[in-house]
């Protein structure tokens, strides 16, 4: 304790009185708390998944969700923002355990708008169990967002700036209010970024085996994005064992692609005879919102769980396209009237779903899970193209215009069983799904309808030989239905000679997947995979029948695809200041 004497005076180095004996006594303090803090490893390997712990990782610094995925083991993001897992497309994305129906560029834009600082972890499930939807032969990527557990009100403001060929920047705000029984959370983010694509094509044309000409083409496309996202949710504890919640998400993506395509026209002897150039001036607006209501009850006595989710989501787009093509001779003079193609594209997608899950712990070693789900999807895509070369006399082009209506109903039920021995564990499940779908193209009246029911078994075996080595074997059957974009017969033009369109007559593909994985010293991992797919959906580029020198990029069903993969994770640490996470993935695909 502090000690003080009475006041005294010092004169010429002496004192006027003798000082008393000074005794220092201890000061007792009451300990408030003891915190034992452990940092989660960057990569964790579980029986059926790999977990990337993003929180407190350097990956989260100034990045977005797509950039984090680019650095995750086994995930590849192409220059066109296509996402594959161990070399396979068809990945299913989930946010907090809920499937997002977005694919392609729409999904990439959504992930670009999600700051990495809002992510807790990423779960990579290469071979999902029967509990999950059968869709997605490549596996599932589940992004788990942070939920602040601190009491009271708190918030975070983030900002970032990156300079590459073009700049990208973002700012975000998140708020959280938590009391004993109520938690309210939300966030607002804005991201600006510029994407670009340089595409070179050299296409040679033949007739009866003889070269008749070629196009030497260069396309440069620049796309500035303005992306706004909003998230709001609340959880309320009706009792210590019952919680209800709502979650709302919304986003607006505005972008204006601007492109220049220059094409040299060669004759059969490879001599340049003319050229044409196409300018792309387009404007896109892609809004979306989703609503979720959830309920979960846990029995306090035997820990039985029942959960219910109701979801509704709506996505739509408004696109205006302007393609101006001019034709030049060798002197750079226009020798044909210019061609102006104007597109008015609109579409909407409505998704309604309901599911219920039940879990029953039979004992400390065994657990039974079961559930049902139904979902209804309705899509309406309307595309109109006009030839406005004569501004006073625009002509509707019915050859490339269309309206596509699509409805899909999926009913599913599953049962899953887990049993754990001291060193050995098994998980086995069976899922049944019924799909009823129909679509129609209003311009030409072509339609289709499908009704099929399939079974999807899964088995997971894991054995811990010691603390230093564990091995797992798993097998499952998976399904990939064509995405709405793949079925959509819209034509997206690069220039008058090149376009992409969907194929409304695609069949689903079915895959048997097998994986053999190993974990050494609870750090190093290695896995071997094999998959056999029938009716494999594959992107192809081919000439358009009935059109001269026009090429289309679309999707078709191949008979069979066999896939082999090898992946390994090799992390290491130097002292207390340096950690390195390294991975290698090799794969071979054989398409017939």
């Amino acid at each position: 304790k502090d000690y003080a004497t009475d006041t005294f005076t010092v004169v010429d180095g002496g004192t006027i009185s003798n000082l008393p004996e000074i005794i220092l006594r201890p000061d007792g303090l009451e300990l408030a708390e003891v915190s034992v803090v452990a940092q989660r490893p960057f990569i964790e390997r579980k029986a059926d998944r790999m977990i990337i712990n993003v929180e407190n990782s350097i990956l989260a610094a100034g990045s977005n969700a797509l950039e984090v995925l680019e650095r995750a083991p086994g995930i590849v993001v192409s220059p066109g923002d296509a996402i594959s897992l161990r070399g396979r497309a068809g990945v299913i994305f989930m946010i907090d355990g809920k499937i997002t129906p977005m694919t392609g560029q729409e999904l990439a834009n959504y992930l670009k708008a999600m700051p990495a600082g809002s992510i807790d972890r990423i779960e990579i499930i290469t071979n999902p169990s029967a509990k999950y939807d059968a869709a997605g032969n490549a596996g599932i990527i589940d992004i788990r967002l942070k939920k602040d557990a601190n009491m009271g009100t708190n918030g975070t403001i983030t900002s970032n700036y990156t300079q590459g060929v073009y700049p990208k920047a973002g700012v975000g705000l998140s708020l959280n209010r938590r009391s004993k029984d109520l938690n309210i959370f939300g966030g607002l983010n804005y991201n600006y970024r510029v994407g670009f694509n340089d595409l070179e094509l050299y296409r040679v044309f033949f007739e009866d085996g003889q070269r008749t000409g070629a196009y030497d083409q260069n396309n440069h496309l620049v796309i500035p994005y303005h992306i706004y996202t909003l998230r709001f949710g609340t959880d309320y504890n009706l009792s210590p064992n019952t919680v209800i919640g709502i979650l709302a998400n919304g986003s607006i993506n505005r972008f204006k692609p601007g492109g220049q395509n220059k094409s040299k026209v060669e004759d059969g002897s490879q001599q340049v005879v003319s050229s044409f150039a196409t300018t792309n001036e387009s404007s896109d607006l892609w809004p979306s919102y989703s609503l979720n209501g959830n309920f979960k009850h846990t029995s306090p006595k035997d820990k039985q769980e029942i959960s219910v989710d109701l979801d509704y989501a709506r996505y739509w787009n408004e696109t205006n396209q302007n393609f101006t093509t001019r034709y030049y001779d060798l002197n750079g003079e226009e020798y044909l009237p210019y061609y102006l193609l104007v597109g008015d594209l609109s579409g909407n997608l409505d998704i309604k779903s309901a599911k219920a899950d039940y879990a029953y712990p039979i004992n400390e070693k065994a657990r039974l899970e079961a559930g049902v789900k139904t979902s209804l999807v309705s899509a309406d895509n309307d595309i109109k193209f006009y030839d406005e070369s004569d501004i006073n006399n625009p002509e509707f082009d019915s050859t490339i215009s269309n309206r596509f209506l699509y409805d899909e109903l999926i009913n599913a039920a599953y049962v899953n069983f887990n049993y754990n021995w001291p060193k050995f564990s098994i998980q086995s499940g069976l899922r049944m799904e019924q799909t009823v779908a129909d679509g129609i193209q209003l311009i030409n009246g072509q339609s289709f309808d499908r009704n099929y029911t399939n079974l999807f078994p899964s088995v997971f075996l894991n054995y811990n030989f010691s603390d230093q080595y564990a091995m797992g074997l798993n097998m499952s059957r998976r399904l990939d239905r064509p995405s709405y974009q793949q079925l959509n017969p819209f034509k997206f033009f690069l220039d008058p000679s090149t376009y992409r369109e969907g194929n409304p007559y695609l069949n689903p593909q079915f895959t048997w997947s097998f994986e053999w994985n190993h974990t050494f010293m609870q750090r190093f991992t290695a896995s071997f995979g094999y998959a056999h797919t029938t009716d494999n959906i594959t992107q192809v580029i081919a000439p358009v029948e009935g059109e001269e020198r026009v090429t289309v990029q679309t999707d078709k069903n191949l008979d069979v695809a066999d896939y082999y993969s090898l992946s390994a994770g090799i992390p290491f640490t130097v002292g207390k200041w340096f950690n390195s996470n390294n991975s290698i993935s090799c794969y071979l695909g054989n398409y017939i």
Side-chain angles (χ1 to χ4, degrees):
K1 292 184 178 180
D2 293 340
Y3 174 82
T5 67
D6 293 333
T7 304
F8 59 89
T9 303
V10 177
V11 180
D12 296 332
T15 61
I16 61 174
S17 63
N18 294 323
L19 293 177
E21 181 181 6
I22 298 174
I23 299 177
L24 298 180
R25 301 185 183 278
D27 187 6
L29 297 175
E30 181 180 353
L31 192 63
E33 66 178 13
V34 175
S35 297
V36 180
V37 180
Q39 185 174 356
R40 292 180 296 175
F42 175 65
I43 297 177
E44 291 183 84
R45 182 77 196 196
K46 301 295 184 181
D48 62 343
R49 69 194 63 197
M50 180 170 60
I51 300 175
I52 312 297
N53 290 307
V54 177
E55 188 177 20
N56 299 324
S57 165
I58 193 172
L59 292 185
S63 301
N64 59 53
L66 188 66
E67 291 166 335
V68 172
L69 289 175
E70 288 179 319
R71 302 165 192 161
I75 298 177
V76 175
V77 181
S78 74
D81 293 336
I83 301 170
S84 61
L85 179 57
R86 295 182 181 177
R88 300 165 70 189
V91 182
I92 298 298
F93 268 84
M94 304 177 75
I95 307 295
D96 285 335
K98 297 176 176 60
I99 292 178
T100 173
M102 294 178 288
T103 59
Q105 192 60 55
E106 184 180 11
L107 173 63
N109 293 339
Y110 178 80
L111 295 174
K112 289 174 182 177
M114 181 185 294
S118 66
I119 301 174
D120 175 53
R121 66 188 187 275
I122 297 174
E123 299 185 359
I124 301 173
I125 310 171
T126 54
N127 211 359
S129 69
K131 181 179 180 179
Y132 297 94
D133 287 356
N137 80 87
I140 294 173
I141 297 176
D142 188 0
I143 299 177
R144 296 283 179 164
L145 303 179
K146 294 179 182 178
K147 284 190 177 180
D148 200 311
N150 294 323
M151 290 292 182
T153 303
N154 56 80
T156 304
I157 297 177
T158 60
S159 62
N160 63 82
Y161 178 86
T162 303
Q163 182 64 53
V165 176
Y166 295 100
K168 54 184 177 180
V171 61
L173 169 67
S174 63
L175 294 171
N176 190 87
R177 168 67 180 175
R178 180 180 289 272
S179 60
K180 180 181 178 181
D181 295 323
L182 180 65
N183 182 38
I184 301 174
F185 56 91
L188 176 64
N189 293 281
Y190 166 74
N191 278 267
Y192 170 77
R193 58 194 61 248
V194 179
F196 75 98
N197 184 31
D198 279 316
L199 176 64
E200 293 185 1
L201 297 173
Y202 188 77
R203 298 185 293 186
V204 183
F205 306 99
F206 295 87
E207 186 174 337
D208 298 328
Q210 298 295 318
R211 179 185 176 121
T212 59
Y215 287 162
D216 185 1
Q217 299 177 295
N218 177 269
N219 182 75
H220 182 72
L221 182 68
V222 177
I223 310 176
Y225 295 96
H226 297 269
I227 309 169
Y228 307 84
T229 59
L230 175 66
R231 182 171 183 257
F232 172 81
T234 180
D235 298 319
Y236 181 71
N237 296 318
L238 296 175
S239 71
N241 303 294
T242 306
V243 60
I244 61 172
I246 60 172
L247 178 64
N249 288 284
S251 69
I252 297 175
N253 183 13
R254 295 179 179 270
F255 55 100
K256 293 185 177 182
Q260 294 286 336
N261 180 282
K262 298 180 180 180
S263 303
K264 297 178 182 178
V265 181
E266 298 180 0
D267 60 16
S269 59
Q270 296 184 259
Q271 299 297 314
V272 177
V273 295
S274 64
S275 65
F276 60 90
T278 300
T279 301
N280 175 6
E281 296 179 348
S282 302
S283 176
D284 289 74
L285 176 64
W286 294 65
S288 67
Y289 67 87
S290 63
L291 301 171
N292 167 263
N294 55 80
F295 167 89
K296 183 177 181 180
H297 174 74
T298 304
S299 172
K301 183 177 180 181
D302 51 15
K303 301 301 181 183
Q304 296 184 58
E305 292 182 1
I306 183 170
S307 60
V308 178
D309 280 271
L310 301 175
D311 289 275
Y312 174 76
R314 180 176 176 82
Y315 302 82
W316 69 99
N317 67 281
E318 298 175 2
T319 300
N320 295 309
Q321 297 180 341
N322 288 272
F323 298 93
T324 304
T325 303
R326 300 182 182 274
Y327 303 88
Y328 302 94
D329 59 22
L330 292 178
N331 297 320
E333 302 292 335
E334 292 189 55
Y335 70 95
L336 289 175
Y338 73 89
Y339 172 56
L340 174 58
L341 180 66
V342 176
D344 180 9
L345 290 70
S346 63
N348 62 74
L349 178 68
D350 289 285
I351 302 172
K352 308 177 185 72
S353 70
K355 72 169 186 172
D357 297 282
Y358 171 74
Y360 175 59
I362 300 173
N363 53 44
E364 293 182 354
K365 297 180 179 180
R367 179 181 176 90
L368 179 67
E369 298 174 315
V372 294
K373 180 180 179 180
T374 184
S375 63
L376 177 63
V377 175
S378 298
D380 183 354
N381 294 282
D382 191 12
I383 179 171
K384 302 182 182 70
F385 278 105
Y386 300 87
D387 181 354
E388 295 190 5
S389 303
D390 182 356
I391 194 172
N392 296 318
N393 187 28
E395 296 182 8
F396 177 72
D397 193 337
S398 60
T399 63
I400 57 177
S401 301
N402 206 342
R403 186 176 181 185
F404 180 59
L405 305 178
Y406 179 79
D407 292 293
E408 179 183 79
L409 173 66
I410 301 174
N411 298 310
Y414 77 90
V415 60
N416 210 40
F417 176 74
N418 294 268
Y419 198 92
N420 296 282
W421 287 273
K423 287 191 173 184
F424 180 69
S425 66
I426 181 172
Q427 179 184 160
S428 180
L430 181 65
R431 187 179 185 90
M432 181 189 71
E433 289 193 357
Q434 179 199 30
T435 303
V436 181
D438 62 82
I440 183 172
Q441 299 185 65
L442 297 184
I443 292 292
N444 53 27
Q446 291 181 331
S447 64
F448 67 89
D449 60 84
R450 300 189 179 103
N451 188 336
Y452 52 91
T453 301
N454 298 101
L455 297 177
F456 302 94
S458 62
V459 177
F460 298 81
L461 306 173
N462 291 276
Y463 189 83
N464 295 316
F465 289 89
S466 67
D467 292 338
Q468 303 299 314
Y469 174 57
M471 183 183 73
L473 288 168
N474 57 67
M475 175 278 298
S476 70
R477 187 178 188 235
R478 307 291 296 167
L479 160 72
D480 264 304
R481 300 177 184 86
S483 70
Y484 314 119
Q485 289 185 343
Q486 289 174 323
L487 292 170
N488 188 344
F490 282 7
K491 292 177 172 63
F492 298 92
F493 284 88
L494 184 64
D495 60 47
S497 67
T498 313
Y499 66 89
R500 166 167 175 74
E501 70 173 348
N503 179 3
Y505 304 105
L506 280 175
N507 293 317
Q509 65 180 28
F510 294 88
T511 301
W512 284 98
S513 294
F514 305 85
E515 188 176 90
W516 182 27
N517 58 67
H518 310 262
T519 303
F520 306 92
M521 302 173 62
Q522 300 182 10
R523 296 181 60 203
F524 306 102
T525 62
S527 65
F528 305 88
Y530 168 71
H532 178 77
T533 302
T534 56
D535 281 333
N536 188 79
I537 299 174
T538 306
Q539 189 176 97
V540 298
I541 299 177
V544 178
E545 295 183 11
E547 297 284 346
E548 183 178 354
R549 297 188 176 186
V550 178
T551 301
V552 61
Q553 175 184 316
T554 188
D555 294 282
K556 291 187 177 182
N557 290 108
L558 298 186
D559 286 340
V560 173
D562 290 307
Y563 167 86
Y564 309 83
S565 69
L566 167 65
S567 62
I570 313 169
F572 67 86
T573 302
V574 178
K576 297 182 178 179
W577 57 274
F578 184 83
N579 295 299
S580 177
N581 293 284
N582 311 283
S583 63
I584 182 171
S585 298
C586 309
Y587 58 88
L588 171 67
N590 183 35
Y591 299 85
I592 301 175

